[in-house]
Each structure stands twice: as structure tokens, then as C-alpha cells.
Amino acid sequence: MPYYTRVLSNDPEFPTLDELVDFLRGTHPDFKLSVEDGSEEEWETLLLSGSGELEVATLERNPVSEGSIGEDEIADFIEDTHDSKPETGVAWLHEFLAEVKTIYAFQHLQGSHTVEGGNALHALRNHLWERGDAILQADLEGFTNEEGHHIVWQFSDTVTGPWNMAVLQDATWYHFTMDLGDPDHREAFLNGEVPPDLSAHRAG
């Protein structure tokens, strides 16, 4: 089953191919971008690849407009998270999704499992996210807020390990790092609370 991570942006403007190529050249010069669909001026799908034709990921740009693939994706996200927790995170997410103008969808390919390939993909995704007014989504994990902290639980029940999380209380985000496998941490997060044994940073 294909695995995707996404940047969901409120900005209808998108970076040029030259901008992305220059960024990649400066950070991961062994990797390149090529147009799969569209043109250099109006790219729709790009291929991220490394040396030896190692394919790392495809990057699809899906504008969100009436009747578009992007609009269908947003509707699916809202439906898929309708019963998710915490409720405060879901409510904020649905408000944000209603304003999304562009979806950047990365389909992870074989090369993404290499250290360098994974790093190049991560850097490119963060470059798109750091343009601002955007959140991150990952299949089988969930969604972040604009600061990149996880706000909606879509993990499997067997997940473990430290993760940067956030809960929304009185219109303020509280950020903390919890153990996904700790049942007390998990229960608190699902209830929209900071686990009592953890300290949280109040987002400015």
C-alpha cells in the first residue's frame, strides 16, 4: 500500500521548480528533481531521485478548488478524523483544513528507506512546510499544528517511543514530548490534557 506524507498549505502560490532545485542543490547535492507531470512553470508531479536512478519519492501538487482532487482529499481527511481524539485538536484541524489551498503529497518510494534518501525527502518536505501557513500529515500517524507538533491521534495501538505533541486549551497550544506507548500519557493526550508528569511549553 502506498505510503504518503503531506504538507497542507493555506497558500495558493507554489514554489517554482528552480527554487526547489536550488534548495536541494544546496542541502543534498547528490539528489535531483525532475518533472513527471506538467511543465517546469506549472509542475504537477516531481520525482526526487538520487545517484544510480534511486527513486526516493514523487511529489504531487494538488490545488484545492471546487471539483478538484485536492478538494476530495480534504473531504476524506475531515471524514477520517471525525471520531478522532482529542476533540479540541480535531476541531482546530477541521477549521484549518477548510482554508487549505494547496496539498503537497509525497509518495515514499524505495529510496526513502535509505538514510540519505530519507534525509533529502525530509528536508524538501520541511522546506515546503516552512514557507508558512502550513501543517504536516503522515499516513498512520495523524496531523500536526503549524509548529509541527502532533495534535490528532491516528497511530496504531502498538506504537511506542517519544513524540512531540500538542494540546489546545483556551485557544493556546501547549507543546510537550510524551511516550506514545505510555498508557497514562496516551489517555491524557486523548482527553486533550498534558500528562501530569510532563512539563509543557506554552506556544507564543
Side-chain angles (χ1 to χ4, degrees):
M1 183 176 178
Y3 178 76
Y4 284 87
T5 55
R6 297 171 177 87
V7 177
L8 310 174
S9 173
N10 288 347
D11 189 354
E13 302 296 324
F14 60 95
T16 64
L17 177 61
D18 285 345
E19 176 190 328
L20 297 179
V21 167
D22 287 346
F23 168 77
L24 202 60
R25 185 181 295 123
T27 57
H28 293 83
D30 292 334
F31 292 82
K32 62 183 180 180
L33 285 169
S34 55
V35 177
E36 292 282 284
D37 294 305
S39 64
E40 291 191 2
E41 292 74 23
E42 292 283 337
W43 61 270
E44 298 172 6
T45 305
L46 302 177
L47 175 65
L48 173 63
S49 58
S51 57
E53 302 305 314
L54 179 68
E55 295 185 345
V56 176
T58 57
L59 166 56
E60 302 169 18
R61 178 179 63 86
N62 295 324
V64 179
S65 58
E66 187 174 353
S68 67
I69 293 175
E71 184 184 53
D72 290 342
E73 285 188 275
I74 295 297
D76 287 343
F77 290 146
I78 292 174
E79 181 179 354
D80 290 346
T81 56
H82 183 72
D83 295 322
S84 297
K85 301 289 183 181
E87 293 178 359
T88 51
V90 171
W92 182 92
L93 173 66
H94 287 183
E95 288 184 10
F96 188 93
L97 290 176
E99 301 298 324
V100 168
K101 301 297 189 295
T102 309
I103 300 173
Y104 300 98
F106 289 83
Q107 181 181 351
H108 295 220
L109 304 176
Q110 185 175 359
S112 67
H113 300 298
T114 67
V115 172
E116 287 300 319
N119 288 343
L121 189 162
H122 184 79
L124 185 60
R125 187 177 63 226
N126 274 4
H127 179 70
L128 292 169
W129 170 58
E130 289 169 356
R131 297 175 79 239
D133 294 325
I135 63 174
L136 300 167
Q137 181 272 343
D139 289 352
L140 308 178
E141 293 178 8
F143 297 80
T144 74
N145 59 12
E146 291 178 271
E147 289 78 29
H149 288 248
H150 210 86
I151 64 169
V152 173
W153 185 281
Q154 289 186 302
F155 294 101
S156 72
D157 290 339
T158 58
V159 68
T160 60
W163 209 260
N164 291 328
M165 311 293 280
V167 292
L168 188 64
Q169 297 176 348
D170 299 324
T172 299
W173 287 112
Y174 291 86
H175 296 157
F176 55 95
T177 301
M178 68 172 250
D179 178 358
L180 296 178
D182 185 310
D184 294 332
H185 288 187
R186 189 180 297 191
E187 181 180 6
F189 175 77
L190 293 176
N191 288 329
E193 301 170 355
V194 178
D197 61 331
L198 299 179
S199 58
H201 168 70
R202 179 174 174 168

